[in-house]
Amino acid sequence: KSPRWSIFGDTVNTASRMASTSLPSSPHNIHLHISDGTATRLPPAFIERLERRERLQLRRRGEGIHIKGKGMMQTYFLSTLAASSTIPASSFPCSSPSLAPDDDDPALGVP
């Protein structure tokens, strides 16, 4: 029997694309793929606490991913510190994985 409702739209499309382009995680190597909107809304004190207590690091994922119908979208990985060092360099071609918008990358600006 098929469900009586369907979930579709922009949020589901974006989540699906992020899931399909993320990195595999394991109990000791966690990679949470999060959007630019989520990353820019995390308070700096919260990010510092994640790094200090949970040993997690927020890193910008290179030039982002392509979302059909939306174009390029900047994303981030929230990864265990040990896993951050094993993420392929091609995932992070930028020299500074900070949350500050790049002057030459308008896609990172916060509206």
Side-chain angles (χ1 to χ4, degrees), residues 67-89:
I67 303 290
K68 185 177 178 180
K70 292 178 75 174
M72 291 302 291
M73 181 178 151
Q74 184 61 59
T75 61
Y76 293 80
F77 281 124
L78 185 58
S79 303
T80 52
L81 290 174
S84 292
S85 64
T86 62
I87 296 174

Side-chain angles (χ1 to χ4, degrees), residues 7-101:
I7 298 175
F8 57 91
D10 184 56
T11 301
V12 174
N13 181 34
T14 301
S16 174
R17 185 57 60 113
M18 288 177 66
S20 68
T21 61
S22 192
L23 296 174
S25 290
S26 69
H28 300 290
N29 287 330
I30 298 169
H31 302 290
L32 301 175
H33 201 180
I34 63 174
S35 69
D36 182 53
T38 298
T40 57
R41 286 170 179 80
L42 294 175
F46 179 74
I47 295 171
E48 289 173 14
R49 187 177 340 149
L50 286 175
E51 289 179 356
R52 190 176 60 253
R53 287 177 153 182
E54 307 299 329
R55 309 285 296 153
L56 296 172
Q57 182 177 35
L58 185 64
R59 296 188 66 190
R60 189 177 109 177
R61 184 179 185 177
E63 301 303 318
I65 58 173
H66 184 268
I67 303 290
K68 185 177 178 180
K70 292 178 75 174
M72 291 302 291
M73 181 178 151
Q74 184 61 59
T75 61
Y76 293 80
F77 281 124
L78 185 58
S79 303
T80 52
L81 290 174
S84 292
S85 64
T86 62
I87 296 174
S90 60
S91 293
F92 303 109
C94 61
S95 60
S96 174
S98 74
L99 288 177

